[in-house]
């Protein structure tokens, strides 16, 4: 290496608290729309707030998982450069609201999430939008295999957690495509927790203690899978996935792009870096996080901040004075 070569800076612990400011801002903006029936307005508010705050973060980031391609997403689109341009060169995955329908209907477990890893380490999910997933916590991480029958994976999770099959609760998205999966879970003797949306939160619940969830199964978004993989790197849990083309055209595109549709994608396949961050802030109450609490003087937020390199997981309660909220809203109005 030439003596004058510039070595890219790697993400360090100082980045963690900068990132949580971003999800807090998105959650506070989206939280104003809880229960108001307009998921697009909620998402738009959260996106604008996230983009406003992310510009101040000390990083040279590129959005790998965002709101979509530039022609359809004016902000936080795939390929957009974010951060202030200083500091580490990183891949960025954002979901200003994981659970827009949950937010619009005032339902549980809506969160704002963001993940960051070293540049070039995140899997490109563009060829196939859906992925068949399995997620669980560190106790059973080495025992499960998405290629096994559902009943066998449930049995292995029960054994790893020193319980019985009837103790196991599996979280799945409430979708018609999961009717057969639900029957297999019930036939195995386990319990089901349906979620209407937001399988990032569902996956992390399966990996965290004291949520009452032991396993996530079923088909969800591939972009959410990459975000979840960053969280699993931090918790010691596991995410396994197989690409799930929704039709013949998507199957052909995946094949043309060189994807092996039978291959099992592991956590390390989805995020190759061992130095990544995951942050989430609750929008509505859930097993993982408390939602936004508004009051006359401002509001409170509850967030998780994780770093894989150290294994540190922080739970952060924050109080935001009304003056800070007004400054944020003023900044967004000026940008608009």
């Amino acid at each position: 290496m030439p003596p004058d070569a510039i070595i890219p800076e790697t993400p360090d612990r100082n980045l963690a608290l900068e990132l949580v400011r971003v999800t807090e801002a998105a959650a506070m903006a989206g939280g104003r729309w809880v229960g108001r029936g307009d998921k697009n307005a909620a998402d738009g508010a959260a996106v604008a707030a996230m983009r406003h705050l992310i510009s101040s973060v000390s990083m040279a980031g590129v959005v790998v998982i965002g709101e979509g391609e530039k022609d359809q997403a004016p902000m936080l689109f795939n390929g957009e450069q974010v951060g202030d341009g200083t500091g580490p060169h990183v891949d960025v995955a954002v979901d200003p609201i994981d659970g827009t329908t949950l937010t619009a209907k005032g339902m549980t477990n809506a969160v704002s999430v963001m993940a960051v890893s070293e540049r070039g380490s995140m899997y490109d999910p563009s060829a196939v939008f859906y992925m068949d997933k399995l997620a669980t916590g560190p106790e059973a991480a080495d025992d499960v295999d998405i290629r096994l029958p559902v009943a066998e994976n449930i049995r292995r999770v029960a054994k790893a957690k020193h319980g019985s099959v009837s103790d196991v609760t599996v979280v799945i998205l409430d979708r018609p495509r999961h009717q057969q999966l639900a029957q297999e879970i019930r036939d195995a003797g386990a319990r089901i927790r349906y979620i209407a949306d937001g399988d990032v939160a569902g996956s992390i619940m399966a990996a965290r203690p004291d949520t009452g969830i032991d396993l996530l199964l079923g088909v969800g978004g591939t972009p959410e899978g990459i975000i979840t993989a960053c969280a699993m790197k931090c918790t010691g849990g596991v995410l396994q996935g197989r690409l799930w083309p929704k039709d013949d055209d998507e199957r052909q595109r995946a094949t043309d792009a060189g994807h092996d549709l039978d291959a099992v994608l592991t956590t390390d396949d989805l995020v190759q870096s061992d130095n990544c961050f995951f942050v989430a802030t609750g929008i509505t109450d859930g097993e993982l996080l408390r939602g936004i609490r508004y009051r006359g003087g401002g509001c409170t937020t509850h967030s998780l901040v994780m770093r894989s390199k150290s294994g540190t997981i922080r739970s952060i309660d924050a109080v935001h004075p009304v003056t800070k909220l007004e400054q944020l809203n003023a900044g967004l109005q000026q940008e608009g």
Side-chain angles (χ1 to χ4, degrees):
M1 180 181 295
D4 59 346
I6 298 175
I7 301 174
E9 189 176 336
T10 57
D12 66 19
R13 63 183 180 274
N14 296 324
L15 188 58
L17 291 181
E18 288 198 69
L19 296 177
V20 77
R21 291 171 50 244
V22 177
T23 56
E24 285 173 345
M28 287 187 288
R32 290 294 190 189
W33 293 89
V34 168
R36 295 174 64 181
D38 191 339
K39 68 178 185 179
N40 292 328
D43 191 51
V47 169
M50 178 171 277
R51 188 171 190 256
H52 177 70
L53 263 291
I54 204 172
S55 64
S56 67
V57 176
S58 300
M59 65 181 183
V62 174
V63 176
V64 176
I65 308 294
E67 291 291 289
E69 300 303 322
K70 184 177 181 179
D71 57 349
Q72 295 187 7
M75 294 189 290
L76 298 178
F77 55 84
N78 297 346
E80 182 176 359
Q81 295 184 8
V82 293
D84 68 1
T86 68
H89 291 240
V90 294
D91 286 347
V92 178
V94 298
D95 198 345
I97 300 181
D98 180 42
T100 54
T101 298
L102 303 179
T103 301
K105 293 184 176 181
M107 299 169 69
T108 59
N109 289 316
V111 295
S112 177
V113 298
M114 182 176 177
V116 168
S117 66
E118 293 173 299
R119 177 70 56 82
S121 61
M122 287 187 183
Y123 181 82
D124 180 3
S126 57
V128 181
F129 185 76
Y130 288 108
M131 174 188 290
D132 189 19
K133 304 175 191 176
L134 178 155
T136 192
E139 301 94 337
D142 295 330
D143 301 310
V144 293
D145 189 327
I146 196 171
R147 295 167 293 191
L148 294 172
V150 168
E152 177 61 17
N153 277 317
I154 291 172
R155 187 193 69 79
R156 292 187 178 199
V157 169
K159 182 179 179 181
K161 292 194 167 190
H162 307 290
S164 66
V165 166
S166 61
D167 297 328
V168 174
T169 298
V170 183
V171 63
I172 62 174
L173 285 167
D174 189 3
R175 301 287 188 273
R177 62 177 178 262
H178 289 152
Q179 288 183 359
Q180 178 60 33
L181 172 62
Q183 190 59 53
E184 291 180 40
I185 294 169
R186 292 176 176 132
D187 289 345
R191 299 176 296 174
I192 294 175
R193 168 69 187 276
Y194 280 110
I195 54 175
D197 205 351
D199 72 347
V200 173
S203 296
I204 300 167
M205 284 191 282
R208 294 279 291 153
D210 303 323
T211 63
I213 304 298
D214 304 289
L215 183 65
L216 173 133
L217 294 173
V219 175
T222 305
E224 289 83 356
I226 284 66
I227 296 174
T228 299
C230 284
M232 293 300 168
K233 288 261 185 173
C234 301
T235 63
V238 65
L239 177 71
Q240 297 176 4
R242 289 182 294 194
L243 296 177
W244 194 83
K246 64 180 183 292
D247 53 36
D248 289 339
D249 288 342
E250 193 170 79
R251 179 177 295 275
Q252 187 60 53
R253 287 198 300 272
T255 302
D256 293 343
H259 292 292
D260 181 354
L261 297 179
D262 294 322
V264 174
L265 297 169
T266 66
T267 310
D268 288 334
D269 292 324
L270 297 172
V271 181
Q272 296 175 9
S273 172
D274 288 323
N275 189 11
C276 55
F277 295 83
F278 174 88
V279 294
T281 301
I283 298 174
T284 60
D285 286 343
E287 290 85 352
L288 190 65
L289 292 162
R290 294 190 307 279
I292 302 289
R293 299 280 197 278
Y294 293 99
R295 58 191 187 188
C299 71
T300 60
T301 58
H302 182 209
S303 303
L304 278 179
V305 182
M306 311 182 192
R307 187 189 184 201
S308 64
K309 190 172 183 179
S310 62
T312 304
I313 300 175
R314 290 183 171 90
S315 176
I316 297 178
D317 291 291
V319 178
H320 306 268
V322 67
T323 53
K324 297 297 182 182
L325 296 178
E326 291 172 348
Q327 289 173 8
L328 173 61
N329 289 333
L332 294 177
Q333 289 171 3
Q334 289 176 3
E335 289 189 359

